Amino acid sequence: MSAHRTVFFVSDRTGITAEMLGHSLITQFEGIEFKRITLPFVDTEEKAQLVAERIRQTYAADGVRPLVFSTFVKNEVRDLIHIPEAHMVDFFEAFIEPLEAELGQDSSHTVGKSHSIENFHEYNTRIEAVNYALAHDDGIKPADLDSADIVLVGVSRSGKTPTCLYLALQYGIKAANYPLTPDDFGQPGLPKALLPFKHKLFGLTIVPERLAQIRAERKPDSRYASVDNCRFEVAEAEAIYRSAGVPHLNTTNKSIEELASTIVHKTNMARRIY
């Protein structure tokens, strides 16, 4: 089998679902280099025919069938892409019919249901949470944390900002973050600005060597990025977490999605969301 495969994520809407599920599947196959191509909004037969032709051209160039992960509501569009030159996995086709049989009801076959703005309250909640995360990033407005659902704490470049934004966008959680700096080290307990919000704190830590690599991309050959300094800052941050009883996670080998999901469940926010 070829060590290189082209993967298409095709959908009549954004392609997010096809990407997410397809990516989860192909990551189980090590040693294969996947070239990923996303083709969203393939919502007409004309567009589907163009996609089918592109797949045929890819097959001819690669000499091996590309993988096609798709989410199509309309059978007539899906069928045009279901060609012998590709190995196709359509998630709607795989799951909708069994669900219809189990529930005793036909699906609505409505395009874009999963990513539409039908629940305006939920949508507005997520937008407000994103705005909040941006306004309270990197210690901005530390005295204005009363309305935060959670405050992520950690040294610089430990993953606070992207995790806050993902919590906001995916879950509608108002997440602020507070960077621990050398001014916060060498003294017992939490920084004074965080004391009123101890119940909202969640700490992030990271392997010092990995932190040094990340910081070196931003400020190479600086004390800020040195391994010794990173070891010192991480050790001090973890000491603060332990002394103050702040729950914390190591971000080194975790994706943003995994971090956010773990934080949601460890803080019992899942009850509020679901």
Side-chain angles (χ1 to χ4, degrees), residues 5 51-53 55-60 63-68 78-89:
R5 296 293 286 266
V51 169
E53 181 56 32
I55 292 170
R56 291 189 182 97
Q57 291 173 359
T58 300
Y59 170 66
V64 63
R65 293 198 301 173
L67 308 179
V68 178
R78 180 195 306 121
D79 291 346
L80 288 170
I81 299 176
H82 210 310
I83 56 178
E85 292 88 351
H87 178 81
M88 184 168 180
V89 179

Side-chain angles (χ1 to χ4, degrees), residues 177-192:
N177 77 70
Y178 183 95
L180 294 173
T181 67
D183 291 339
D184 299 315
F185 303 143
Q187 52 187 340
L190 292 168
K192 290 183 179 179

Side-chain angles (χ1 to χ4, degrees), residues 154-155 180 185 204-205 232-242:
V155 299
L180 294 173
F185 303 143
L204 300 183
T205 187
F232 168 76
E233 290 193 20
V234 169
E236 289 291 315
E238 291 180 353
I240 290 174
Y241 302 153
R242 289 192 297 270

Side-chain angles (χ1 to χ4, degrees), residues 8-9 14 43 53 63 83 102 111 116 118 228 235 243-244 247 265:
F8 288 92
F9 304 104
T14 63
D43 51 7
E53 181 56 32
I83 56 178
E102 177 64 25
V111 174
S116 62
E118 289 196 333
D228 286 343
S243 66
H265 289 277

Side-chain angles (χ1 to χ4, degrees), residues 114-168:
S114 61
H115 297 290
S116 62
I117 309 176
E118 289 196 333
N119 188 329
F120 284 97
H121 173 72
E122 178 182 329
Y123 178 77
N124 287 333
T125 297
R126 285 189 285 134
I127 295 302
E128 288 175 6
V130 170
N131 289 332
Y132 184 89
L134 292 172
H136 295 80
D137 182 43
D138 212 19
I140 300 173
K141 301 180 182 179
D144 183 29
L145 298 178
D146 285 332
S147 54
D149 295 315
I150 191 169
V151 181
L152 299 189
V153 184
V155 299
S156 172
R157 312 303 285 180
S158 58
K160 301 183 300 300
T161 295
T163 304
C164 282
L165 288 172
Y166 190 87
L167 285 168

